[in-house]
Amino acid sequence: MIAELSPGLILIAGGLVTPLVPARLRPLLMLVLPLVAFTHLLTLPFGEFGQVQAMHLSLVTLRVDKLSLLFGYVFLLAAFLGGLYALHVRDAVQHSSGLIYAGSALGAVFAGDLVTLFIFWEGIAIASVFLIWAARNEHAYRAGMRYLIVQIGSGVLLLAGILIHYRQTGSIAFGAIGLGSPGAILILLAFGIKSAFPLLHNWLPDAYPEATVSGTVLLSSFTTKVAVHALA
């Protein structure tokens, strides 16, 4: 059972319990959890695992291949270095949201179907905005709201594209989709927003500078890179 657990879920679970951990131990948790997830990742074989039946759909919550492994290693290294950079931080909001954000990014790169991708896609948006709001000033609040609207909008486009694609093909497999249908174009647009395509990138310079310093380090590590993986 543990072999079918996505490494991202380890970070997400840790992020959810982080507020209950004494403040002096939280920075240590930011370092230990990526190491635990990395150790788990080293044990995973290639293939599709963690299959879940939901609403007559077969979800693949863990697909391990060469590309996902590459991104997984880099993401866990980035999460560890981000925690190391933020050792001085004593803010439970940043600790919790940072772990959930990194975990959602990991979950997305190991997603084996479009519905699972969508779930983690939205997890990235919701968790990451708290790294902006953690600055606790009016500029950060306003920039965070704009950021959240754009990121949730990307998720809405992704969901709409998935529904159209599923209606036309009967499949939610996360593989080569092409551009031969309206659903595929909506999915590409969702990926384009999150990867900050030209003319779709304004949310990035608007929001990232308003986050906390340690929050900006994490923000620059995951969101657009998840979209690059999805495009690949």
Side-chain angles (χ1 to χ4, degrees):
M1 185 66 180
I2 190 68
E4 298 192 352
L5 181 69
S6 172
L9 294 179
I10 296 174
L11 300 188
I12 292 173
L16 292 174
V17 303
T18 292
L20 305 177
V21 176
R24 66 181 182 279
L25 296 179
R26 289 189 206 122
L28 181 62
L29 201 62
M30 296 288 290
L31 299 179
V32 170
L33 285 174
L35 292 177
V36 172
F38 190 88
T39 301
H40 173 58
L41 182 57
L42 292 175
T43 68
L44 295 177
F46 290 142
E48 296 186 349
F49 310 98
Q51 296 191 14
V52 177
Q53 297 296 321
M55 297 181 293
H56 306 293
L57 298 174
S58 181
L59 308 185
V60 181
T61 60
L62 176 62
R63 180 179 63 192
V64 183
D65 55 34
K66 291 182 179 179
L67 184 62
S68 62
L69 274 180
L70 173 62
F71 275 78
Y73 292 144
V74 172
F75 279 10
L76 285 169
L77 177 61
F80 178 83
L81 293 177
L84 188 64
Y85 184 79
L87 275 178
H88 64 286
V89 175
R90 293 295 182 269
D91 184 0
V93 171
Q94 292 188 69
H95 290 151
S96 181
S97 59
L99 284 170
I100 295 172
Y101 172 43
S104 296
L106 271 171
V109 300
F110 286 105
D113 67 88
L114 292 169
V115 174
T116 300
L117 174 68
F118 168 75
I119 293 171
F120 286 116
W121 197 266
E122 294 299 82
I124 291 169
I126 295 170
S128 60
V129 73
F130 285 97
L131 295 174
I132 301 170
W133 287 338
R136 294 179 174 85
N137 60 61
E138 186 65 20
H139 290 296
Y141 174 74
R142 292 181 181 276
M145 285 300 297
R146 293 190 294 268
Y147 170 87
L148 186 61
I149 290 170
V150 171
Q151 295 301 317
I152 294 297
S154 171
V156 170
L157 289 172
L158 177 59
L159 180 59
I162 292 170
L163 291 174
I164 295 172
H165 179 72
Y166 176 69
R167 183 177 179 85
Q168 292 180 332
T169 66
S171 173
I172 58 168
F174 184 19
I177 296 173
L179 291 174
S181 70
I185 293 173
L186 288 177
I187 291 172
L188 175 65
L189 185 58
F191 291 172
I193 291 173
K194 218 173 193 69
S195 60
F197 276 8
L199 304 182
L200 300 176
H201 70 287
N202 289 341
W203 58 269
L204 194 154
D206 176 47
Y208 281 19
E210 301 300 337
T212 63
V213 175
S214 54
T216 300
V217 170
L218 285 179
L219 285 170
S220 63
S221 301
F222 299 117
T223 298
T224 54
K225 285 67 178 179
V226 166
V228 168
H229 174 271
L231 286 165

